[in-house]
């Protein structure tokens, strides 16, 4: 199995983004704010049950939480809108 170094770099950035070391497992995910981000990891039913019991709210800021609810992420091609006058284009 080959693993792209960019993927490992992204995981390392995630694990050390809070000026400490955060495990990249369900324990590390449990400390995240977004319930949908938590549910996109391993144990979605446990995270869903905890979120429902505690009344957690998701502001849909993470790409994972936006994908879960079927919204376009605000990254890459979803970062901007293009506006084009179609009537002028067809003349």
């Amino acid at each position: 199995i080959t693993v792209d170094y960019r993927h490992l770099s992204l995981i390392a950035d995630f694990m050390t983004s809070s000026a400490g070391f955060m495990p990249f497992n369900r324990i590390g995910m449990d400390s995240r704010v977004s319930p949908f981000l938590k549910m996109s990891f391993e144990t979605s039913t446990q995270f869903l049950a905890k979120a429902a019991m505690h009344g957690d709210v998701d502001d849909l800021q993470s790409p994972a939480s936006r994908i879960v609810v079927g919204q376009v992420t605000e990254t890459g091609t979803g970062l901007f809108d293009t506006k084009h006058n179609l009537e002028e284009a067809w003349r």
Side-chain angles (χ1 to χ4, degrees):
I1 297 175
T2 59
V3 179
D4 193 323
Y5 76 92
R6 293 174 292 188
H7 182 74
L8 295 176
S9 178
L10 184 63
I11 291 173
D13 285 347
F14 173 79
M15 293 174 67
T16 58
S17 66
S18 61
F21 175 76
M22 179 173 40
F24 192 63
N25 58 19
R26 71 178 67 97
I27 295 167
M29 283 289 137
D30 199 25
S31 67
R32 305 306 287 185
V33 176
S34 168
F36 286 127
L37 176 62
K38 293 175 188 178
M39 286 184 269
S40 69
F41 199 62
E42 288 179 355
T43 54
S44 54
T45 54
Q46 291 175 0
F47 286 129
L48 177 61
K50 283 183 183 179
M53 288 188 326
H54 296 123
D56 293 342
V57 177
D58 197 321
D59 58 3
L60 301 178
Q61 293 300 310
S62 71
S65 61
R66 293 180 70 87
I67 290 170
V68 167
V69 297
Q71 290 188 359
V72 176
T73 62
E74 294 179 350
T75 59
T77 56
L79 188 59
F80 56 90
D81 291 328
T82 55
K83 298 186 184 210
H84 188 70
N85 189 341
L86 292 177
E87 291 178 11
E88 287 184 23
W90 291 107
R91 289 185 192 174

